[in-house]
Amino acid sequence: MKKQILSAIMAAVVITGGAYADHRHGPRHECWRDSEYDDHWAYYYCGDQAAKCDGKKSKSHDTVFWQYHGDHFIFQTEPHDTYWCCGGTTESEGKYVKSAHWITNTTTERVSIYGGTCNKLIQTDACGGQHIIECTEPDTCAPGQLLRNRECIKPCGADEAFESSTSNTCISCEANLYQGPSLDRQVCIKCDQTSEFFNRETKKCVKKSSLEQYSKQTMKECWRCPQSFYADCIKEMKKPSDQRGFAINNWQEIKRKCHLK
């Protein structure tokens, strides 16, 4: 009987552990890796750090994501948990926090305004940051709703932002080369694809005309660079691989900051 009970316990441990066996994180929760595909892993890094997680280096055949404060990922293998990058920048390491949504708590404070009252919205995000949205006129909005452009509306979801500062319509706004959410994640910033890039660190559009023009492939290889390294990166990446880095003194630092292969 004792052997049967022990076998049942061991089986339960194996089954329970199997659901999480493909999810591994770094010692400070600064990174995660996930066996997203059969033949390689997906790596997620929050902020500036070595391309290594849980004792394993990400290789060229792995899928690697460099993320910054407010970015998130969802595990492709079960359980499909969502993690947010908190405090990660191009200069410093952050950590991941588990949360199904960016806004984890919403409260309202009734304030007097123009002879009446309205709801000041106080939101807490997954990283513990507070966002206070002042109301501008008397209202009767229910708790958890947002007064925006004279309307009581629900806040946008995790992958959404408002279409513009004057719009109350939420749209999908995942960060890429040409768009991304504003610093407070309230508005979707859309850049002119013919003349601008979206800077994922400052959450603003950058004029292409401020840089020398190179091929799209060359610029794509340097898209993770901090702004101060971008110009030197694309100049070197335009050269043949065996000629890169000889004309500048900080090539190794550029490679690290820009996460070049």
Side-chain angles (χ1 to χ4, degrees), residues 115-213:
T117 61
C118 64
N119 284 328
K120 177 172 70 174
L121 196 68
I122 304 171
Q123 297 178 329
T124 303
D125 61 44
C127 296
Q130 266 200 350
H131 308 276
I132 297 177
I133 304 172
E134 303 286 353
C135 53
T136 58
E137 62 183 40
D139 69 273
T140 56
C141 292
Q145 287 192 318
L146 167 67
L147 176 65
R148 180 181 173 82
N149 298 322
R150 299 183 180 181
E151 289 185 57
C152 294
I153 59 174
K154 292 182 178 180
C156 294
D159 292 318
E160 299 177 325
F162 292 109
E163 192 171 17
S164 70
S165 60
T166 58
S167 172
N168 290 343
T169 301
C170 294
I171 61 173
S172 177
C173 192
E174 292 188 356
N176 57 38
L177 284 173
Y178 303 109
Q179 73 166 33
S182 59
L183 201 57
D184 61 0
R185 298 190 68 85
Q186 293 298 307
V187 177
C188 188
I189 306 297
K190 288 185 174 291
C191 305
D192 183 345
Q193 294 190 20
T194 61
S195 62
E196 298 175 320
F197 287 126
F198 181 71
N199 186 313
R200 296 178 65 217
E201 183 178 9
T202 64
K203 314 300 184 187
K204 295 180 180 179
C205 295
V206 178
K207 291 289 185 183
K208 293 180 182 179
S209 58
S210 64
L211 303 169
E212 293 186 43
Q213 296 301 302

Side-chain angles (χ1 to χ4, degrees), residues 37 43 52 60 75 107 116 180 188-190 198 211 221 252:
Y37 305 104
Y43 284 77
K52 183 178 181 181
S60 59
F75 278 115
T107 60
C188 188
I189 306 297
K190 288 185 174 291
F198 181 71
L211 303 169
E221 290 175 326
Q252 294 303 318

Side-chain angles (χ1 to χ4, degrees), residues 47-49 68 87-93 201 226-229 253 256-257:
D48 181 48
Q49 57 191 275
Y68 305 101
T89 71
T90 54
E91 302 295 331
S92 61
E93 175 188 290
E201 183 178 9
Q227 198 62 32
S228 59
F229 290 89
E253 185 178 11
R256 185 174 68 86
K257 293 290 187 180

